[in-house]
Amino acid sequence: MKNQYVIEEFKLEESWRLFRIIGEFVEGVDRLHDLGPAVSIFGSARTKPGTPYYEKAREIAALMVENGFNVITGGGGGIMEAANRGATEAGGKSVGLNINLPFEQKPNPYSNISIEFNYFFIRKVMFVKYASAYVIMPGGFGTMDELFEAVTLIQTQRVMPLPLVLFGTEYWGGLIEWIKARMLEEGTISEGDLDIIKLTDDPEEVIKFVKASNKD
């Protein structure tokens, strides 16, 4: 049976694995180097078409294209499909950075630029490197991973500050309150760190925030 745990493969053919890693970086950079301004949109792969957050992601992606931004997603279903769909329907570049997984993740048909990755960390570099903003829709562990990685990179000044929007006050509001009540209260973050994140339910507010932060 093929080993599904990619990280363990480093024990087997480490030298050749490094070439594969370099190859994925090269392909990503080669395919995206002239992408232009883009927004990375994240969210659950399990969100169904026609549901409120699916349609909001589709609307936000279309607004991004109409305002000069291309769209990057993880290339799968749910929110990712919705965002790729909205971007394609609006005539923009719709990037899907798909990850090969043993379950759940399948490329959606709405990406007009599609790249396959075996390694999460390479894919995550591409999300950050080519994004002018992050929009985080409701999602699960993978979405939380992308959220906190982006916040950490901005907080530690490892990347240029970029707008980071949490969409869905009902979904994310409890998390923000917990961060204030526990992290801020315990002193594990600074009050200014909360300014990294903007929480909203309005697609028009998302685009206004992204445009204002990218006006230079």
Side-chain angles (χ1 to χ4, degrees), residues 10 14 16-26 119 121-122:
F10 285 113
E14 293 190 10
W16 288 109
R17 198 72 54 206
L18 292 173
F19 283 113
R20 293 183 187 179
I21 289 169
I22 292 169
E24 287 199 5
F25 272 121
V26 169
Y119 300 99
F121 66 93
I122 301 173

Side-chain angles (χ1 to χ4, degrees), residues 85-100:
R85 183 176 179 180
T88 296
E89 290 170 342
K93 292 180 181 178
S94 179
V95 180
L97 305 181
N98 194 58
I99 187 75
N100 292 318

Side-chain angles (χ1 to χ4, degrees), residues 109-169:
Y110 297 104
S111 305
N112 50 46
I113 300 173
S114 183
I115 308 174
E116 297 280 333
F117 292 91
N118 288 301
Y119 300 99
F120 270 108
F121 66 93
I122 301 173
R123 179 178 181 243
K124 288 164 79 174
V125 168
M126 300 301 151
F127 282 133
V128 174
K129 181 174 175 59
Y130 296 101
S132 300
Y134 268 32
V135 177
I136 314 290
M137 305 293 292
F141 290 142
T143 304
M144 295 278 279
D145 179 43
E146 298 295 350
L147 164 62
F148 283 110
E149 172 141 353
V151 171
T152 301
L153 290 171
I154 296 167
Q155 180 202 46
T156 57
Q157 300 181 18
R158 302 307 296 174
V159 297
M160 293 289 291
L162 52 81
L164 194 156
V165 181
L166 285 181
F167 190 90
T169 55

Side-chain angles (χ1 to χ4, degrees), residues 5 23 37-39 66 86 91 103 122 133 144 168 192 204 206 209-210:
Y5 302 107
V39 174
E66 291 166 8
F103 62 92
I122 301 173
M144 295 278 279
E204 292 287 348
V206 174
F209 181 60
V210 171

